[in-house]
Amino acid sequence: MDTSAADTRADAIRIEQFPAGLEDGRPDARTMGWFEAVRAGFHDGAPQPGHVEAYVAAYAADRRVLWGAYDDGARPGAWGPDIPVATYGSLANTMNVGGGRLVPTHQITAVTVRPTHRRRGLLRTMITADLGQAAGRGFAVAALTASEATIYGRFGFGAAAFTRRVEVDVRERFALRSAPFGTMELVDPAAMLELAPRIFAGFHGRTTGSLDRQFSYAQVASGRWQSEKPEPNPDLRVAVHVRSDGEPGGYVAYKFAGWHSEPHTMKVVDLVAASEASYRELWRYLGSIDLVQRIVWSAAPADDPLPWALSDPRSYSVTAEEDALWLRILDPVGALEARRFEQDGSLAFAVRDPLGLAAGRFRLDAAGGQARVERLDASAAVDLTLDVDVLGSLYLGGARGRTLAGAGRLEGDKAAVGRLDGLFALASAPYCITHF
């Protein structure tokens, strides 16, 4: 997609949408400027042309759309007009919304605004236009991962899934209570170009809240890219769990933190398990690595079964919790009818939406795992009233109505809140290990 300068403006600043591109085999000026602005916004060094070429290929595979806001005014000594004063990007993948149901989801990424151009409505202009376009293309849900928690609520996003940063002491007291299952194999990282997407597909299909992964993940798991840049990672090791039927059930990519680390620490780069049994075996393997005293992982599930699997649960500690996934409902009817409901029941509710995309009154009737949602008249009585960001937090069962009501975020009596919690509850907490 490529728009002219006249299509979208904020405070007389030109806003364009375009794909990442090459010119004579090199990043074109607009693409190079976009990466320059993004890296400055996230406090990284200047982009290397060879790196940007790799990202252009990855972004083409992801079908990303880039946005740039450009100030063409003459400003002595300022960056040139090819470097945007604000950036934005989008792509789309499927999200598991329960029961293995995969729903196309609009994803937002690479949001920056230069400090010199704050408070001019640049982000609001881009995100409002983008969400409106996504809704027009039929997306019922939008998603993002937030660097700052205070920005996106005003645009209707609510924190919906959480992860933990954990540390596990793997010295002498480390042991699992369960019997071993299958085998573990140390593999050539290059094999993960094929194996990583295959194993992740099993995880994705069984895990509520999972978002399918973009091009870069297999590159990182294979050691072709590092997490921070598209250069080989010689320190990466990868082990795969092979089930008793000979099929791969999970993998863990990891690297040693160095002999200077005290206690000696192994860092998990990526851990994906297509079953709970494979998850346990990956940890059994990590706990058996010689000369290592601690395993650190930043993307453990909020309801992690690992401490319950350990002979000594005190060897497991949580050092941080993060809101890993934020959701924005664009179409309540489409989003709720796509989701699985594990309990039957009915509920009428009103949604407030500052952007107007999801506002209205609705009635939800769930039976046999499926919901039917109808839009009600503006005068219809409802059981609950909530903002659209609250609906995003409730959508996958990652937040409870009772908690949100206690926080003053939900309007309704206790009986209605109880029905809400019964309807929206799922068997497991949502879990997302895809960052974008």
Side-chain angles (χ1 to χ4, degrees), residues 162-183:
F162 302 84
T163 54
R164 293 171 167 179
R165 186 183 187 277
V166 300
E167 296 182 359
V168 182
D169 186 332
V170 292
R171 288 175 284 198
E172 291 79 5
R173 64 181 186 168
F174 180 88
L176 297 183
R177 295 175 180 271
S178 59
F181 164 72
T183 60

Side-chain angles (χ1 to χ4, degrees), residues 14 33 69-73 75 77-85 114:
R14 172 172 51 92
Y70 299 89
D71 187 343
D72 297 320
R75 302 185 312 282
W79 269 354
D82 284 335
I83 302 176
V85 297
R114 199 182 299 177

Side-chain angles (χ1 to χ4, degrees), residues 168-181 184 241 276-288 304-313 315-316:
V168 182
D169 186 332
V170 292
R171 288 175 284 198
E172 291 79 5
R173 64 181 186 168
F174 180 88
L176 297 183
R177 295 175 180 271
S178 59
F181 164 72
M184 290 294 303
H241 177 243
E276 293 174 345
S278 290
Y279 182 74
R280 293 193 299 271
E281 295 311 308
L282 294 174
W283 275 104
R284 193 190 309 275
Y285 170 82
L286 289 169
S288 71
D304 195 351
L306 180 60
W308 300 95
L310 294 171
S311 296
D312 182 1
S315 64
Y316 176 102

Side-chain angles (χ1 to χ4, degrees), residues 161-368:
F162 302 84
T163 54
R164 293 171 167 179
R165 186 183 187 277
V166 300
E167 296 182 359
V168 182
D169 186 332
V170 292
R171 288 175 284 198
E172 291 79 5
R173 64 181 186 168
F174 180 88
L176 297 183
R177 295 175 180 271
S178 59
F181 164 72
T183 60
M184 290 294 303
E185 297 290 348
L186 192 64
V187 303
D188 181 347
M192 300 310 294
L193 279 175
E194 184 272 330
L195 282 177
R198 180 176 162 193
I199 293 170
F200 183 82
F203 168 88
H204 186 50
R206 77 173 182 91
T207 306
T208 300
S210 173
L211 269 163
D212 205 1
R213 287 182 154 180
Q214 58 267 30
F215 177 88
S216 62
Y217 270 94
Q219 308 303 307
V220 171
S222 71
R224 295 182 65 179
W225 286 15
Q226 298 179 36
S227 299
E228 305 83 10
K229 55 188 175 181
E231 291 183 359
N233 187 352
D235 300 324
L236 190 76
R237 299 288 180 267
V238 185
V240 171
H241 177 243
V242 182
R243 303 184 319 221
S244 55
D245 62 2
E247 288 296 309
Y251 73 87
V252 58
Y254 57 94
K255 65 179 181 180
F256 187 50
W259 293 112
H260 62 277
S261 62
E262 291 291 344
H264 297 328
T265 299
M266 193 72 77
K267 295 182 177 180
V268 173
V269 174
D270 195 18
L271 189 155
V272 180
S275 70
E276 293 174 345
S278 290
Y279 182 74
R280 293 193 299 271
E281 295 311 308
L282 294 174
W283 275 104
R284 193 190 309 275
Y285 170 82
L286 289 169
S288 71
I289 299 173
D290 287 339
L291 307 179
V292 173
Q293 300 167 316
R294 178 177 63 181
I295 306 293
V296 174
W297 186 30
S298 61
D303 57 350
D304 195 351
L306 180 60
W308 300 95
L310 294 171
S311 296
D312 182 1
R314 293 185 179 182
S315 64
Y316 176 102
S317 59
V318 178
T319 59
E321 184 173 272
E322 181 181 32
D323 42 75
L325 179 67
W326 291 60
L327 296 182
R328 207 285 184 198
I329 304 302
L330 301 173
D331 171 16
V333 175
L336 293 170
E337 289 189 345
R339 208 204 94 143
R340 175 174 173 78
F341 287 83
E342 296 179 357
Q343 294 189 31
D344 296 349
S346 299
L347 192 71
F349 58 94
V351 178
R352 294 183 294 240
D353 183 349
L355 303 187
L357 295 169
R361 297 185 173 223
F362 306 88
R363 180 178 179 83
L364 184 154
D365 294 288

